[in-house]
Amino acid sequence: MKIVKAAVYIDGAARGNPGPAGLGVVIKDESKRTIKEFYKYIGVATNNIAEYNGLVYGLQEAHMLGAQ
């Protein structure tokens, strides 16, 4: 599926800080329909690292979907 514009919503969190951490990503198209969502455990990390990884994974996935 090729999309031109997308909104990428991300979050990341760690229990503790550092502690067990994960991230979540939701990608929506121009019509605000969810076209992809995923989450991932990233091991022990800080809240900042979890958020940053959410951004990186979200942008990579949007790029693979053809978003500009």
Side-chain angles (χ1 to χ4, degrees), residues 2-44:
K2 282 283 193 185
I3 57 173
V4 176
K5 291 185 180 180
V8 180
Y9 300 90
I10 63 105
D11 198 11
R15 184 176 300 148
N17 200 26
L23 59 90
V25 177
V26 176
I27 301 173
K28 296 186 177 248
D29 66 11
E30 295 177 79
S31 302
K32 304 212 186 305
R33 289 179 301 206
T34 299
I35 55 174
K36 182 89 177 197
E37 60 184 3
F38 60 94
Y39 57 90
K40 179 177 180 154
Y41 173 71
I42 61 170
V44 175

